[in-house]
Amino acid sequence: MKRIWHHPEEPKTGRRYWRSVSELERRSDFLSTLGKEFPAGDTMGDEERENSRREFLKIMGAGVGLMGLASCRRPLTTILPYTKHVEWLIPGKPLLYASALPKPQGGAQPVVVTTHEGRPTHLAGNPLHPTAGGGLDAFAQASVLDLYDPDRSRRPLIHGESAPWSKTNKLFKDIIGNAKAAGGKGLAVLSGANSSPTFARLLLEVKAAFPQAQFASYEAISRDAQLAANKELFGAGVQPVVNLSKALRVFSLDCDFLGIDPVGADSIKEFMANRDADKGADGMNRLYALENRYTLTGGFADHRKPLAASLMFTAASLLAEELKATPVSANTAEAPADLKAWVKAAAEDLLKFQGKAVVVAGSRYGAEVHALVAAANNALGAFGTVIDLVKADDSPESGDLNQIVEAVKAGQVRTIVSLTGSDPLYDAPNAAALAALLKEKKTSLIHLGHLVNATAREARLHLPAAHALEAWGDVRSADGTYSIIQPMIQPLYGGVSAVEVLLAMLDKKTLGPAKTPKIDPAAPPAAPAPPAEDAGHAAVRETFAKVAGGLDEQKWNFALRDGFLKGSSYQKAGAFNTGAVAGIVSHARASGAPSKDNYEIVLVPDSSLWDGRYANNGWLQEAPDPVTKLTWDNAALIGSATFRALGLKEGQMVRVSVGDAKLELAALEAPGHVSNSITIQLGYGQSKIGAVGSKRGFNAFSLRADANQYVRSGAKLEKLDDIYELAITQEHNTTEGRAMFREGTADQYATDKTFAQHIGMDGHIPPNISLYKGQIGRKTAENPEGFDYETKHQWGMTIDLSKCIGCTACIVACQSENNIPIVGKDQVRRGRLMQWIRMDRYFAV
C-alpha cells in the first residue's frame, strides 16, 4: 500500500514545524525516502564497498583504544607494588576519582573520572563542585578518547625525526642554557589561555630567571579584545563574572553563552535556575538575542532577531542610548528602523528589572562593543548583583603573536618555546609565511603538543604532551574556585605537561619518563627504595600551600577527594571606570550592513573541534552540529534568501574571497541566518593530523588577516559547478508526519498544565502500554494488576524539554559510556549512524 505523507495537525499556536527545507517544501526527494531505514541506499558496488571498509577500519582505530592498552600504568608517586592485593581494587568494579580539566575557552571543567583497573574509561561532571553542579560539555566527555588516540604524539621529534629522551634532554638543555646565559635575550615563550595557578607562578619564575625574554599569549580563538577592554574598564587582572541565576532579563549581542561562549562558571546551570514556568511571568527569566545565525542561545531565546555581525556595534550603541548609559556611541541615525524599535522595546523591559538584568556580548567582538556593554550593565545596576568583579592570579605581562613575529624579523628572537594549545603554523594569519620566516631565520622552535600537527612538523624540537588525565596540575574555574588535576594513569607515551616544561626551563626537572632501575636477578633481595617525588606533584603542592594558606595535609586530601578547595574563589576587587568608555569607543567606527555586492564573513569556533585541536577525535567529528546537524565537515552557512537568490544547491561549492584571501568550500542553506552573511566554522581543513581528522572540511583560518579578526566585510561570493557531499543527520528517521513536538507559552501552561498531552498530537497519542509484562499503572488495592514500582526494579529517565538546549553533550557521553562505535562520513550519509541518542532541531513558520 502506498504511504501518503501528510502534515500533522497544527498546534494551537498555528505554526508549522519542520526539520529541513525539503520537509517544509515537501520535495520529492524527501517524500521518496519516508519509511526507508537507509535513505541514502543500502547497496554498494564492489569498489565502493572496499573503500567504505577501509575508511571504517581506519576511523575505528581511534575508537577501540579504550578496550585495553598494554602500557596503562598508574603514577609512580601514588602506587607501590602489591604484596597483598588491594581489597578495594576489584576487577570489573569501577573506582571514581575527582579531578578537573582545563576548558579551551578558559576556566575549569570539574570532573569525576571512572577507572577500571587503573584505566580511565569515562568522565562525568562533579555534582559537589560549587559552580558546575554536575554538568559536563561535549569536549570534556570526549577527552578520554584523546587519551587513547593511536595517532597521539608518542615520542620526541628533532627536525621531524624520532629521537630518544636522552638526546631530547641534551638538546633542550643546550638551547635553554644558551638563552639563560644571555639573560633570556633572544628567547620568547608563547603560552595560551591558562587558568592554572601553578603555571602562572612558574611563568613568573621563568621571567625572573630569563629577565630579557619576551612573553606572548596566543590562542587561535581568543578574546584578546575583551580582555583589553576589561583592563581599561576594571583594572589590571580584574575580570567580570556573570551569574545568570541572578538575572531575570538577559540581552545577548551574539553571545552563545548556552553553547561555546560561556560568561560565568556554568552559564547553562545558572540560566536554567530561573527557567521555570511554575515561577510565573515575573519569576521566569526572559532572553533577548541578536545574532547573524542560529546558535544554541538564539534558538532558546524568547525574542530573537537576525542581525548582521557587522551591525553589532550599532546595536550596542542603540542599547546604550536607550538605557542612557553613555553619551558616546556610534552614529545610530542611519540604523535600520526595525532594529531601533526592537532594541527600544527590549531596553524598556530591561529597565523594569534594575539589578536583575544583564547584557552580554560575544567574546570575540571588539573592545568598543564590550565597553558599551559594560556601560549598559552599569546603567542596569548589574555590577555587584548579577556581575561580580574579581581579581585573578598574577602572571607576566605578555604581548601577542604579532610582536613575536616582528621580533623574529628583526633578529631579536632566536628561540621560541610554544606552550599554547593552538597550532600557530596552521591557524595563525598567513601561517605559511610564518613557517617560511622561522625557517629563513633558523629560529629554534620548541613545541609541546598532543598531535604531530603543522607546528610540530616544522619545529626543531617537538615534545609529546601529557594528557590532563596523565599529569599533575591545577586550574581555577571562572569564579576562582581552585581544583587539583590529579593523574589517573602514568603517561602512556612518556609525555610531559606544560608545567613540567617550565620546571625543566628552571632546571628543576628532567623531561621524559622516569627511568626504571635495572634489577640483577642474582643479587639478594633488597628493600624497595621509596619513589622519587614527581616534580609536577611537588610544584602543585607548593602552589596549593599558597592558595590554602599553608600545606595542610587534611585540606590537601579533602581537595583531592572533593575535586576543589572550599573557600578558594577569587576575591572581589575593582570598580567600573565610567570615563574609560569614551576613550575606547571614540576610536571605533560603525560598519554598514552587508549587501549582495559586499558580503560579510563571520568566523566562529566549531561546536565539535573548537579551533581544530579536537580534529582527530571521532566522537566529536561524528557528533551532529547542534543546529545544522552537519557531521565530519564545515560549510559556508548561508541564509535562505541569499541561498535561493544565488540558485545554490546543498553542498554546492562556492568561492569566498575577501582582500587577498580566497577559500573554496561547500555551501549549506541555513534557515534563520541573516541575508548577505556567510558563517564558516573554524578548525577544519588540516592535512596531516591523524587518520580521523586529516582532510576534513575547509580551512577558514586562511580568511583572517589578523588574529583577532572574526568578522570581515567586503567579501565576494562566487558559485562553482562542483557538488561536495555533506553528511547531515537532520532528515534521518523522519517520523512520517507524526508530530513530536510539545510546545506552549507560559500563559497557556498557567491555564492548562496538561496541554502537552493533547496539543498538536490529536490522533497520534499511542495507547498506554507498559513495558513491564503488560502491567499498566501503579499497583494499588484498586489496581492489583499494576506494576509494583516500590520494590521492583525499573528504568526511567525524565528530561525537562523546557531546559534541554540540544548541545549534544549527552550524545557523546552515551557514546563514551556504552562504547558505541563511530562509522564515518560515508556511513552517516547512508543513515547508519549508531548513536543511541538523537536530538532533532525543529524550525517553525
Side-chain angles (χ1 to χ4, degrees):
M1 183 178 70
K2 183 179 179 181
R3 292 189 172 187
I4 304 298
W5 183 87
H6 65 91
H7 198 274
E9 181 175 340
E10 293 180 349
K12 293 179 181 179
T13 57
R15 295 195 290 181
R16 181 179 170 191
Y17 290 81
W18 43 279
R19 291 195 296 177
S20 68
V21 177
S22 294
E23 181 179 0
L24 172 67
E25 298 180 345
R26 306 184 188 183
R27 295 176 182 172
S28 58
D29 59 345
F30 172 79
L31 299 178
S32 64
T33 61
L34 289 174
K36 291 185 178 180
E37 184 177 5
F38 303 117
D42 54 1
T43 59
M44 292 184 283
D46 291 341
E47 182 178 354
E48 190 179 10
R49 184 179 295 108
E50 179 63 21
N51 290 337
S52 180
R53 184 185 69 85
R54 283 201 201 98
E55 176 73 5
F56 177 76
L57 292 175
K58 182 175 72 172
I59 65 172
M60 275 292 292
V64 299
L66 276 72
M67 295 180 181
L69 204 61
S71 59
C72 294
R73 295 165 290 174
R74 293 287 293 165
L76 291 176
T77 57
T78 59
I79 193 169
L80 293 174
Y82 297 140
T83 52
K84 288 186 177 181
H85 199 284
V86 180
E87 58 181 324
W88 41 261
L89 188 61
I90 302 172
K93 184 176 181 180
L95 291 176
L96 277 63
Y97 297 87
S99 188
L101 300 176
K103 284 185 176 183
Q105 311 96 317
Q109 180 72 75
V111 297
V112 174
V113 187
T114 299
T115 67
H116 287 84
E117 290 81 59
R119 297 184 178 99
T121 56
H122 182 66
L123 302 181
N126 185 350
L128 298 178
H129 196 276
T131 61
L136 203 62
D137 62 22
F139 296 134
Q141 292 283 4
S143 64
V144 70
L145 187 62
D146 290 329
L147 173 67
Y148 298 107
D149 184 356
D151 288 322
R152 270 185 68 183
S153 177
R154 300 190 179 203
R155 55 190 64 85
L157 302 177
I158 297 178
H159 292 300
E161 299 294 331
S162 179
W165 279 104
S166 57
K167 187 176 180 180
T168 298
N169 269 295
K170 183 179 185 306
L171 177 60
F172 183 87
K173 288 182 177 180
D174 287 345
I175 296 173
I176 299 302
N178 291 336
K180 190 171 185 179
K185 187 177 181 180
L187 173 68
V189 179
L190 190 65
S191 59
N194 199 311
S195 63
S196 166
T198 296
F199 184 88
R201 177 176 63 81
L202 292 176
L203 205 58
L204 287 170
E205 291 187 22
V206 169
K207 183 174 179 62
F210 301 80
Q212 297 186 60
Q214 298 190 38
F215 293 81
S217 177
Y218 172 74
E219 284 286 345
I221 297 172
S222 70
R223 53 191 191 103
D224 290 347
Q226 183 183 24
L227 295 176
N230 289 345
K231 182 177 180 180
E232 292 192 45
L233 295 170
F234 311 117
V238 177
Q239 59 189 33
V241 179
V242 180
N243 188 342
L244 293 173
S245 66
K246 299 178 180 179
L248 292 179
R249 294 295 182 269
V250 182
F251 189 105
S252 168
L253 287 157
D254 197 12
C255 179
D256 188 17
F257 61 83
L258 295 180
I260 52 180
D261 202 8
V263 295
D266 189 340
S267 297
I268 299 175
K269 170 193 167 187
E270 294 164 2
F271 180 78
M272 295 306 169
N274 293 319
R275 200 69 176 178
D276 193 339
D278 287 327
K279 291 187 175 183
D282 292 334
M284 184 174 177
N285 60 18
R286 184 176 298 166
L287 171 60
Y288 297 86
L290 292 170
E291 58 186 15
N292 82 305
R293 80 280 176 204
Y294 260 117
T295 65
L296 285 176
T297 303
F300 213 79
D302 301 282
H303 305 280
R304 175 187 181 270
K305 182 175 179 57
L307 183 70
S310 306
L311 296 178
M312 284 299 160
F313 177 49
T314 300
S317 301
L318 284 170
L319 182 62
E321 286 181 358
E322 291 293 339
L323 297 176
K324 296 180 174 54
T326 173
V328 182
S329 61
N331 181 7
T332 58
E334 298 181 1
D338 60 333
L339 177 61
K340 289 182 178 180
W342 195 90
V343 171
K344 180 180 177 63
E348 290 174 354
D349 193 21
L350 293 172
L351 286 169
K352 294 176 184 177
F353 288 82
Q354 286 277 341
K356 295 182 180 180
V358 68
V359 182
V360 293
S363 61
R364 288 166 296 283
Y365 279 98
E368 67 280 1
V369 172
H370 292 286
L372 290 173
V373 165
N377 282 320
N378 187 54
L380 291 170
F383 293 116
T385 54
V386 182
I387 303 176
D388 288 328
L389 299 177
V390 298
K391 179 68 168 66
D393 294 316
D394 292 331
S395 60
E397 287 287 331
S398 61
D400 57 25
L401 183 61
N402 287 335
Q403 292 175 321
I404 300 299
V405 172
E406 292 303 317
V408 171
K409 290 179 180 178
Q412 298 169 357
V413 166
R414 297 182 298 277
T415 300
I416 301 175
V417 179
S418 175
L419 303 178
T420 176
S422 296
D423 182 4
L425 298 190
Y426 151 71
D427 49 43
N430 207 352
L434 176 58
L437 173 66
L438 296 179
K439 186 175 293 186
E440 175 193 343
K441 296 293 185 178
K442 298 181 180 179
T443 307
S444 294
L445 175 60
I446 300 176
H447 171 259
L448 175 71
H450 290 274
L451 296 167
V452 183
N453 54 25
T455 306
R457 292 192 296 272
E458 297 296 328
R460 181 180 181 186
L461 175 59
H462 162 72
L463 303 172
H467 192 278
L469 296 173
E470 296 176 325
W472 287 99
D474 54 10
V475 70
R476 285 190 186 268
S477 57
D479 75 328
T481 300
Y482 179 84
S483 294
I484 299 170
I485 300 175
Q486 57 174 322
M488 300 293 108
I489 194 171
Q490 189 174 343
L492 302 181
Y493 306 120
V496 295
S497 67
V499 164
E500 290 173 321
V501 174
L502 293 181
L503 288 169
M505 293 180 68
L506 296 168
D507 204 21
K508 297 180 180 180
K509 159 82 177 173
T510 298
L511 297 176
K515 293 183 179 180
T516 303
K518 294 183 179 180
I519 300 176
D520 183 359
E533 185 173 25
D534 182 275
H537 176 257
V540 172
R541 281 174 62 88
E542 184 177 345
T543 304
F544 176 85
K546 296 179 181 297
V547 175
L551 188 55
D552 185 318
E553 289 295 335
Q554 186 177 48
K555 280 187 178 181
W556 168 264
N557 290 330
F558 278 150
L560 287 176
R561 183 199 66 181
D562 299 337
F564 64 95
L565 176 64
K566 293 181 179 179
S568 58
S569 58
Y570 289 136
Q571 296 294 314
K572 295 182 180 180
F576 176 61
N577 181 2
T578 308
V581 177
I584 297 174
V585 177
S586 62
H587 300 293
R589 295 292 180 268
S591 301
S595 66
K596 63 180 181 180
D597 297 320
N598 288 285
Y599 291 85
E600 72 169 13
I601 297 174
V602 182
L603 304 176
V604 298
D606 187 70
S607 61
S608 292
L609 307 192
W610 185 245
D611 61 358
R613 68 186 66 190
Y614 304 116
N616 212 52
N617 190 302
W619 290 348
L620 292 174
Q621 283 274 14
E622 200 153 286
D625 181 271
V627 177
T628 66
K629 302 303 175 183
L630 177 64
T631 67
W632 291 99
D633 276 302
N634 60 344
L637 305 182
I638 302 174
S640 294
T642 306
F643 196 88
R644 304 297 178 86
L646 292 170
L648 293 170
K649 298 178 181 179
E650 181 182 290
Q652 186 160 5
M653 295 295 290
V654 295
R655 180 180 294 117
V656 178
S657 57
V658 56
D660 296 329
K662 294 182 180 180
L663 177 66
E664 294 182 3
L665 74 165
L668 179 62
E669 184 174 356
H673 198 292
V674 73
S675 298
N676 303 318
S677 177
I678 307 166
T679 298
I680 309 175
Q681 303 98 331
L682 297 166
Y684 289 86
Q686 301 186 61
S687 58
K688 297 179 182 178
I689 199 67
V692 171
S694 296
K695 299 179 181 179
R696 304 286 182 187
F698 312 92
N699 181 11
F701 280 116
S702 62
L703 295 175
R704 293 201 301 178
D706 182 81
N708 292 314
Q709 192 173 48
Y710 301 96
V711 180
R712 295 201 69 178
S713 300
K716 305 297 181 184
L717 182 65
E718 179 184 353
K719 182 172 69 171
L720 305 177
D721 295 331
D722 294 338
I723 301 294
Y724 182 90
E725 293 182 342
L726 298 173
I728 303 172
T729 67
Q730 185 76 334
E731 292 183 1
H732 283 196
N733 309 115
T734 305
T735 55
E736 300 187 48
R738 294 189 297 275
M740 302 301 291
F741 56 84
R742 307 285 202 280
E743 183 193 63
T745 64
D747 291 338
Q748 185 178 341
Y749 176 75
T751 57
D752 180 12
K753 286 186 169 52
T754 64
F755 76 90
Q757 298 178 19
H758 53 78
I759 184 169
M761 299 295 292
D762 296 343
H764 291 286
I765 299 178
N768 187 10
I769 301 174
S770 172
L771 296 174
Y772 303 109
K773 298 180 181 179
Q775 302 170 87
I776 299 175
R778 184 179 296 276
K779 183 176 182 179
T780 61
E782 294 77 17
N783 184 22
E785 299 299 323
F787 185 76
D788 185 359
Y789 287 95
E790 302 299 329
T791 61
K792 298 290 183 65
H793 290 290
Q794 71 264 197
W795 181 92
M797 178 170 63
T798 302
I799 299 174
D800 187 344
L801 293 181
S802 68
K803 297 182 179 180
C804 173
I805 60 174
C807 66
T808 73
C810 65
I811 293 178
V812 179
C814 180
Q815 196 153 10
S816 168
E817 193 167 19
N818 297 288
N819 207 18
I820 301 171
I822 52 179
V823 298
K825 176 181 174 178
D826 179 68
Q827 296 303 313
V828 171
R829 290 192 67 254
R830 295 176 183 276
R832 293 185 171 94
L833 190 67
M834 297 187 71
Q835 294 160 354
W836 290 3
I837 300 176
R838 65 170 287 118
M839 267 171 286
D840 293 326
R841 181 66 59 185
Y842 283 88
F843 298 90
V845 292

